[in-house]
Amino acid sequence: MISFKSIPNRTVLARIFYGVAVAFICYRWVNHMLLSQLVNPVLTYVNTDATYIALSYLGIPQLLTHHHSIALVFDLCFFAAALGAFLFPNRQYLPVLFTVLLGIYEVTGYTYLCFHKHNLTGMWICSLMFCVVDPRGFTPMFYLTRYYTLFVYGSAGFWKFFRGIWNLPGHFPVILKTDAMTYMVEHSSGLRYDVIAWLIVHPGLLDEVMILTCFFQISFLIGFFTRKLDWFFFLYAISFHLLAYFLVYASFFEFSVILITLLPLSFLYERSVRA
Amino acid sequence: MAVVIFIALQLYYTIQFARVSLYVDHDKPLPHPIAFEAFPFVVYNMYSGKITDWHNYNYYRFEADGVPVSVTGIHFFESEQLINPLDKYLAYEPDSFNQEPLHSYLLYTLGTGDNTQQIYDKVSNHGTANCHDQYGRWLIWYLSRMQGKTIHAVKIFSCHYQYSGSGKPEKINENLVFEYHDQL
């Protein structure tokens, strides 16, 4: 546990973040999710999101997905920016370039996915803090990003209380039945199948899990006042994402890179001058 | 200053989401279109929305050249790229790909001028000519890449299920909802 004044070590954090970013870009390339691999998708979904509307009106998603060579250049620049920022973490233009390209990739990708996920938004917010190269400026950006992380998980719990589903009997079982339907239809055996089927016939347990989840999530707001629970928040968030992936294939792994702001590992911080 | 603006906008959209939630959760119509997020100011509600139909369990069955396609046999990135646009296609197709919530929002925000219609035509699917054929061609290409061989025809069935007492899904019925044959 950190016992001295905590100044985040930007270089180490940047190496971790951009290393993970490179890995995720490669993962998406292997699974044909880079823009050059979508090749002329037809349907779009901008909803009432002003950013999506603006980018679509400017024709950027269409330009990237309907011209393979342009999309390929974009993807290569995207990868190069992440790799460059990993190799040279103290060059300011690389994090800025990566942040811009990641934003365009996210909006374009989700426009044609026809669903506005927030998986990459966490990575984008995290990338913002690395746009500040000066260590004196980076420290407040790091802690603001930490507060944003706490806000995200806290608000997830808050909305469940606000909208009255935190203790609504049977609601979580319906969520599980709905999201796991595809898997349950296409499989008839296996550990995952058996676990999901067992949970479905024990809806009371799922209701209890929902209540616990809501309280755990809203407890993240305590993190605004103390850092002593950061280990708990980190482990809970990772566990939550792993369980969500196991049960309903809900992937938040790219988002979870923002959890590096909650990791109280001594090598991520350097002693302050005052300490 | 930038941080203050960011926090203010995030709080603004959070409050907007709260407003929308109050109307939706109490079955009241919105007085006017309300946008509750604008990237990067998004809402992380993570399954907080009430599901109103507790007995509607749907599964899309894909057939490529008459051979069933396993949606879970591919990476979830690709299965999402298959399923989500299909959901939107089936939602928009009965209304000729009009997207009324988007249209209403643009009219409310920008007024009723010609520019608004131009923006709507450009950012929506409403202006997409031959959407069925274009979507069908893309679907065939996408399935061909997934399967590693050239596909010439695709059929999609919407299957309605219920869960048995042992937690296993049981089919109630299925309907053909999309069909396309490569003309080449």
Side-chain angles (χ1 to χ4, degrees):
Chain A
M1 188 67 71
I2 307 277
S3 59
F4 47 86
K5 180 68 176 177
S6 304
I7 306 294
N9 187 324
R10 185 188 178 282
T11 303
V12 172
L13 287 163
R15 286 254 154 81
I16 293 173
F17 174 77
Y18 289 108
V20 169
V22 167
F24 278 141
I25 293 172
C26 292
Y27 187 60
R28 281 180 170 258
W29 171 70
V30 167
N31 292 292
H32 310 113
M33 287 309 295
L34 295 183
L35 298 183
S36 59
Q37 297 171 304
L38 293 179
V39 187
N40 295 332
V42 176
L43 292 171
T44 63
Y45 178 67
V46 297
N47 201 10
T48 53
D49 188 311
T51 309
Y52 281 73
I53 292 171
L55 244 69
S56 279
Y57 182 70
L58 292 172
I60 292 172
Q62 296 86 332
L63 179 71
L64 289 172
T65 57
H66 289 72
H67 298 86
H68 184 258
S69 53
I70 297 176
L72 192 58
V73 169
F74 177 91
D75 290 338
L76 289 171
C77 289
F78 186 32
F79 178 77
L83 185 62
F86 172 79
L87 295 172
F88 310 104
N90 296 318
R91 304 272 173 91
Q92 184 172 26
Y93 66 91
L94 287 167
V96 172
L97 178 64
F98 177 78
T99 303
V100 171
L101 294 178
L102 176 59
I104 294 173
Y105 171 76
E106 175 171 354
V107 174
T108 302
Y110 290 159
T111 296
Y112 287 104
L113 182 65
C114 295
F115 187 74
H116 295 183
K117 298 175 69 171
H118 301 146
N119 202 15
L120 290 173
T121 307
M123 182 176 275
W124 190 86
I125 295 290
C126 200
S127 75
L128 267 185
M129 70 177 177
F130 292 107
C131 293
V132 179
V133 179
D134 169 32
R136 292 183 64 181
F138 177 75
T139 300
M141 284 294 290
F142 175 85
Y143 284 107
L144 283 170
T145 306
R146 176 180 172 273
Y147 287 139
Y148 183 86
T149 307
L150 296 168
F151 164 77
V152 167
Y153 289 93
S155 64
F158 169 79
W159 291 122
K160 292 178 179 67
F161 286 106
F162 184 84
R163 303 189 70 179
I165 65 127
W166 69 283
N167 63 346
L168 186 61
H171 194 259
F172 190 23
V174 170
I175 293 174
L176 180 61
K177 288 178 188 177
T178 305
D179 286 5
M181 166 58 62
T182 301
Y183 181 85
M184 297 299 278
V185 168
E186 294 190 357
H187 298 79
S188 57
S189 62
L191 173 65
R192 187 165 178 259
Y193 181 91
D194 292 338
V195 168
I196 294 173
W198 185 86
L199 286 171
I200 286 172
V201 297
H202 293 84
L205 178 63
L206 287 173
D207 290 335
E208 299 296 326
V209 169
M210 172 59 88
I211 294 173
L212 279 174
T213 298
C214 294
F215 279 104
F216 281 145
Q217 287 179 339
I218 206 163
S219 73
F220 275 66
L221 299 178
I222 300 173
F224 278 84
F225 307 101
T226 179
R227 294 192 61 198
K228 292 182 179 177
L229 295 176
D230 279 11
W231 266 117
F232 163 76
F233 297 143
F234 177 83
L235 290 173
Y236 167 78
I238 294 294
S239 303
F240 172 77
H241 294 324
L242 286 171
L243 194 62
Y245 182 75
F246 176 77
L247 289 179
V248 296
Y249 278 153
S251 171
F252 293 101
F253 299 118
E254 288 158 330
F255 179 88
S256 61
V257 73
I258 205 173
L259 294 171
I260 58 173
T261 56
L262 295 179
L263 262 181
L265 296 173
S266 56
F267 72 88
L268 297 179
Y269 298 84
E270 52 189 290
R271 214 176 272 273
S272 74
V273 173
R274 278 179 286 174
Chain B
M1 188 61 184
V3 171
V4 172
I5 293 172
F6 186 99
I7 293 172
L9 284 169
Q10 182 65 59
L11 285 175
Y12 169 75
Y13 282 105
T14 301
I15 292 168
Q16 293 292 81
F17 181 76
R19 289 179 64 202
V20 171
S21 300
L22 286 173
Y23 284 109
V24 169
D25 293 342
H26 293 90
D27 295 321
K28 293 179 182 175
L30 293 172
H32 56 79
I34 299 175
F36 56 83
E37 56 182 27
F39 175 81
F41 312 104
V42 298
V43 175
Y44 299 91
N45 51 330
M46 293 190 198
Y47 292 105
S48 71
K50 277 181 194 162
I51 297 175
T52 51
D53 188 348
W54 285 28
H55 303 288
N56 184 18
Y57 302 113
N58 197 65
Y59 165 75
Y60 289 121
R61 185 168 70 82
F62 289 77
E63 277 185 10
D65 289 342
V67 178
V69 175
S70 169
V71 176
T72 57
I74 55 175
H75 194 274
F76 64 85
F77 281 155
E78 292 182 291
S79 64
E80 285 179 337
Q81 191 65 56
L82 206 57
I83 300 292
N84 289 322
L86 174 64
D87 268 340
K88 288 294 182 286
Y89 178 90
L90 295 175
Y92 297 149
E93 198 242 353
D95 198 19
S96 302
F97 300 97
N98 277 314
Q99 292 168 245
E100 192 49 42
L102 171 62
H103 196 213
S104 302
Y105 172 72
L106 289 173
L107 286 172
Y108 175 77
T109 308
L110 303 174
T112 55
D114 291 338
N115 285 340
T116 304
Q117 188 62 37
Q118 182 197 9
I119 292 169
Y120 173 70
D121 287 340
K122 189 160 185 186
V123 305
S124 72
N125 297 288
H126 175 60
T128 305
N130 301 319
C131 204
H132 176 271
D133 288 347
Q134 286 199 53
Y135 177 64
R137 275 196 292 275
W138 177 83
L139 201 53
I140 280 193
W141 168 83
Y142 198 78
L143 287 168
S144 296
R145 188 182 69 182
M146 274 171 50
Q147 303 287 295
K149 60 179 181 179
T150 304
I151 304 295
H152 298 287
V154 59
K155 287 185 179 180
I156 305 174
F157 299 85
S158 174
C159 308
H160 190 60
Y161 278 78
Q162 65 183 11
Y163 279 88
S164 70
S166 59
K168 301 177 193 299
E170 296 171 338
K171 187 190 287 187
I172 299 174
N173 57 43
E174 73 172 29
N175 299 298
L176 177 67
V177 293
F178 185 86
E179 186 174 9
Y180 183 79
H181 299 268
D182 193 343
Q183 301 299 321
L184 295 175

